[in-house]
Amino acid sequence: MNHLQKRIRQLSLTSLLCLAGFSAWGHGVVPNVPQSDRDIHFPNIEGYQTLVLDLHTHSVFSDGHVWPTIRVAEAERDGLDGIAVTEHLEWQPHLLDIPHPDRNRSFEVATLAAEKLDLLIIPGIEITRSDEAGHMNAIFIQDANALVRQREADTYLPAHQFSDAAQAIAFAKAASAGAFSEAHQVEIDGVTVWAPFANKAAYITLVAYDLATTQPAADVLELANGQGAFTFWNHPKFATPQAALGTFHQGQVEAGRLHGVEIANGGRFYENALRLALKHNLTLIGTSDVHNLIDWDYQPETGGHRPVTLAFAAEKSNEAAKEALFSRRTVVWWQNTLIGRPPELTALLQASLKATNPVWKGNTLQVSVVNHSDANFQLRNLSDYSIRRHGPVIEVAPNDTTNITFQIMAGSKDLWVEFEVMNTLVAPNTFATIRFDISAPKE
Ligand SMILES: [Zn+2]
Ligand SMILES: [Zn+2]
């Protein structure tokens, strides 16, 4: 090796090392960001820590449009305690550009990105079927690869080279239940085949989906349960607003393999899912199911927020979060509504709203209601006392104090006032209530 060759070798080694250093820091790791107005905040309840979780997210590793690092950064900016990484196992529209045969990769990238943060990264997947089974998440899994049937493009494509248009259309209809009516001639690796799309990428994605979904959804749920996963039904579809659970989901619930259901997903609230969750003892889940950017979907800078699941856990850890979900200790925070079972919702209301500083003046009693949460509470007066200079509904702004003055007889003894909390649900069309006990001043 002459001098010049040595010099070039040294230079390239140096630049490689620089690049390695740069990528370890600059590419994947999300820095801690200070608290901001967009932090989603709810107080801890008696005996438990309140974990703010988004249990359904996507990246380019399935049909999302961002790298997992961005999901982690968004979660940090939203002040979340944890996110689940739940790529579609079978639906991989970016397959040609991002083949990723290792289906744990998205979780690994997110975990690396969160290295410097106090953020739980929960490994998960989304089981994706176009039949009755629909979509279901399995989270706290051990190995995503063991849950999917996949083959390399060059081995599965020859099995799907249709010799005429009718066969290609029939395949597309069976694979996706879509309305395909025409076929195209597509050249793949030098061979011309009939395909339901003019575009090679879409064709390969469809073939991959078809192959992956040859594994029955019930088998994937069983395997996920074997890995200790917590599972839930996503964005449920119902034939009628009061429909019972269908055969598939009822069977999985009875077998103990399906543990929860999304009652909120993105902008949608599923009232029938809430009814069925209460009937069948399922955990209440609310998620973003984000594919694009949280900022585009929810405008957090103007007060919007993604739907989250508040899980009441013994501590901030994946294990404790999982225990809370299996024990159904959750409240869903969707738009301005808190949805939960009475024990958890009541505990959250009691931790969030405190009546303080009673001041008696003549025939009035003023109390200050301090709101320690992000909810904008709508309280409807259920007490016998009317509210001075106000109708029966009081708005209690988030993270603020609201004074309420009751018309009351002077000299009253200890008393209590009760409100219906109109931005809550404990069942379809049923609000939670909160009671404040107020002591009379010492004479
Ligand atoms: Zn889905
Ligand atoms: Zn999804």
Side-chain angles (χ1 to χ4, degrees):
M1 198 183 281
N2 66 28
H3 177 74
L4 185 62
Q5 281 173 323
K6 272 188 196 157
R7 181 75 194 124
I8 289 171
R9 187 152 180 254
Q10 272 171 0
L11 272 174
S12 49
L13 268 176
T14 313
S15 48
L16 268 178
L17 287 171
C18 285
L19 278 173
F22 179 74
S23 78
W25 271 3
H27 174 62
V29 180
V30 172
N32 188 278
V33 297
Q35 284 220 328
S36 69
D37 283 354
R38 66 184 279 173
D39 279 18
I40 299 175
H41 173 74
F42 285 88
N44 294 333
I45 66 168
E46 178 134 21
Y48 294 107
Q49 190 165 345
T50 300
L51 301 182
V52 182
L53 306 174
D54 186 352
L55 302 173
H56 191 165
T57 68
H58 295 280
S59 79
V60 287
F61 284 86
S62 60
D63 60 346
H65 301 123
V66 303
W67 195 251
T69 307
I70 300 299
R71 291 286 165 256
V72 169
E74 288 174 326
E76 175 68 1
R77 287 158 65 87
D78 283 349
L80 302 191
D81 292 296
I83 55 167
V85 176
T86 57
E87 310 294 358
H88 292 281
L89 261 188
E90 304 85 355
W91 181 239
Q92 304 285 318
H94 308 311
L95 197 62
L96 271 194
D97 296 305
I98 305 171
H100 69 96
D102 178 1
R103 298 307 182 81
N104 297 310
R105 192 63 193 138
S106 179
F107 166 69
E108 289 169 4
V109 172
T111 302
L112 172 71
E115 205 170 57
K116 302 234 182 303
L117 306 179
D118 185 20
L119 178 72
L120 305 176
I121 306 294
I122 300 166
I125 48 94
E126 182 167 11
I127 301 164
T128 313
R129 295 291 181 278
S130 47
D131 62 14
E132 184 199 0
H135 294 191
M136 293 168 290
N137 276 3
I139 58 175
F140 306 103
I141 57 166
Q142 306 292 324
D143 179 14
N145 294 321
L147 303 175
V148 66
R149 185 175 287 173
Q150 60 176 332
R151 285 183 225 171
E152 298 301 326
D154 57 351
T155 62
Y156 63 67
L157 274 175
H160 291 81
Q161 288 175 357
F162 302 108
S163 53
D164 64 58
Q167 282 180 28
I169 292 167
F171 162 73
K173 283 186 174 166
S176 69
F180 295 99
S181 56
E182 46 175 317
H184 305 266
Q185 289 192 291
V186 183
E187 194 182 300
I188 295 175
D189 303 330
V191 182
T192 302
V193 300
W194 282 97
F197 300 101
N199 154 336
K200 178 180 165 185
Y203 179 58
I204 289 179
T205 302
L206 189 67
V207 172
Y209 176 73
D210 180 59
L211 278 166
T213 55
T214 54
Q215 190 167 16
D219 292 0
V220 186
L221 269 187
E222 192 172 351
L223 289 169
N225 273 271
Q227 294 187 11
F230 174 85
T231 63
F232 55 95
W233 185 17
N234 300 341
H235 42 80
K237 278 197 187 115
F238 301 104
T240 65
Q242 298 278 317
L245 274 184
T247 320
F248 177 86
H249 298 102
Q250 170 122 17
Q252 296 305 315
V253 168
E254 282 169 3
R257 289 194 287 258
L258 189 58
H259 315 118
V261 62
E262 283 183 348
I263 57 165
N265 174 301
R268 290 166 294 175
F269 165 61
Y270 303 92
E271 190 175 62
N272 195 40
L274 172 59
R275 189 182 68 82
L276 291 173
L278 298 175
K279 182 176 174 193
H280 294 278
N281 232 2
L282 299 171
T283 304
L284 305 175
I285 304 286
T287 72
S288 72
D289 195 2
V290 63
H291 288 74
N292 294 310
L293 291 173
I294 289 291
D295 284 59
W296 292 355
D297 291 352
Y298 302 101
Q299 290 88 42
E301 299 308 332
T302 56
H305 70 90
R306 67 173 97 194
V308 289
T309 304
L310 307 177
F312 305 104
E315 58 173 32
K316 183 170 177 178
S317 69
N318 276 14
E319 264 318 298
K322 180 173 154 181
E323 189 277 330
L325 294 175
F326 270 112
S327 303
R328 298 181 291 278
R329 288 195 308 271
T330 64
V331 165
V332 170
W333 171 228
W334 174 77
Q335 297 188 359
N336 190 41
T337 306
L338 288 162
I339 309 156
R341 291 179 163 81
E344 287 76 30
L345 194 47
T346 303
L348 185 63
L349 292 177
Q350 284 169 350
S352 299
L353 294 171
K354 305 279 187 194
T356 60
N357 298 327
V359 179
W360 300 77
K361 274 188 203 157
N363 287 346
T364 67
L365 164 66
Q366 181 189 288
V367 289
S368 301
V369 177
V370 186
N371 181 356
H372 297 280
S373 83
D374 275 5
N376 187 22
F377 285 107
Q378 311 293 317
L379 304 182
R380 190 171 80 90
N381 183 17
L382 297 179
S383 70
D384 292 338
Y385 320 109
S386 57
I387 299 172
R388 189 165 178 241
R389 293 182 184 154
H390 208 288
V393 178
I394 290 271
E395 182 176 315
V396 178
N399 305 299
D400 202 357
T401 300
T402 303
N403 293 326
I404 306 176
T405 305
F406 292 95
Q407 302 278 11
I408 222 157
M409 290 306 292
S412 293
K413 298 272 187 249
D414 292 358
L415 62 95
W416 51 270
V417 289
E418 193 172 21
F419 293 94
E420 193 167 58
V421 189
M422 293 163 73
N423 61 309
T424 62
L425 287 172
V426 288
N429 293 316
T430 310
F431 302 130
T433 57
I434 185 166
R435 181 177 142 143
F436 299 117
D437 292 296
I438 296 152
S439 305
K442 298 229 161 59
E443 308 265 327

